Amino acid sequence: MTGAGVLGAGGEPLLAAAPTPTGTSTGTPLPTQQQTVDADLVTPGLWGFVSLFAMAVAVYFIGRGMARRVQRVNQRARLEAEERAEAARAAERGPDSGRRGSREDPREG
């Protein structure tokens, strides 16, 4: 390979080097296209801070509400499991296991 480009099978260049642009007829090169940016114009400023703060507050309240709902669901599931376990224990003891002793109810007459 040479500086002129990629050579083909016969030695001829496949890609020729592009000429460099000049700024004037005297041959002075153009300045680079690098621009300096004012940092005050690029920063998010007050509205960026306000919007970020609003999103943070929203995320806080959404997370807090979600945590409460998860606790409520877990508590309901625990209570239902306890009720099912109690019903299973009551079924194992039999239908008359709820009564204590053989005394009759005094209200029945």
Side-chain angles (χ1 to χ4, degrees):
M1 281 194 189
T2 63
V6 178
L7 298 179
E12 70 277 354
L14 294 177
L15 298 173
T20 57
T22 56
T24 62
S25 61
T26 60
T28 58
L30 289 174
T32 60
Q33 296 296 326
Q34 185 179 15
Q35 297 177 352
T36 58
V37 179
D38 187 15
D40 291 334
L41 298 176
V42 190
T43 59
L46 178 65
W47 290 112
F49 172 75
V50 168
S51 62
L52 183 65
F53 184 76
M55 284 191 293
V57 169
V59 166
Y60 170 76
F61 283 112
I62 289 171
R64 195 172 88 175
M66 185 180 65
R68 286 182 180 174
R69 290 179 189 270
V70 167
Q71 286 177 352
R72 237 182 269 149
V73 166
N74 287 339
Q75 183 179 5
R76 286 180 186 162
R78 192 184 75 238
L79 290 175
E80 287 175 4
E82 289 174 0
E83 288 175 1
R84 278 183 270 155
E86 181 64 33
R89 282 192 296 260
E92 288 176 0
R93 287 185 287 208
D96 294 334
S97 64
R99 294 185 181 172
R100 293 186 181 185
S102 59
R103 279 191 348 192
E104 295 181 13
D105 192 5
R107 291 177 283 181
E108 293 179 9

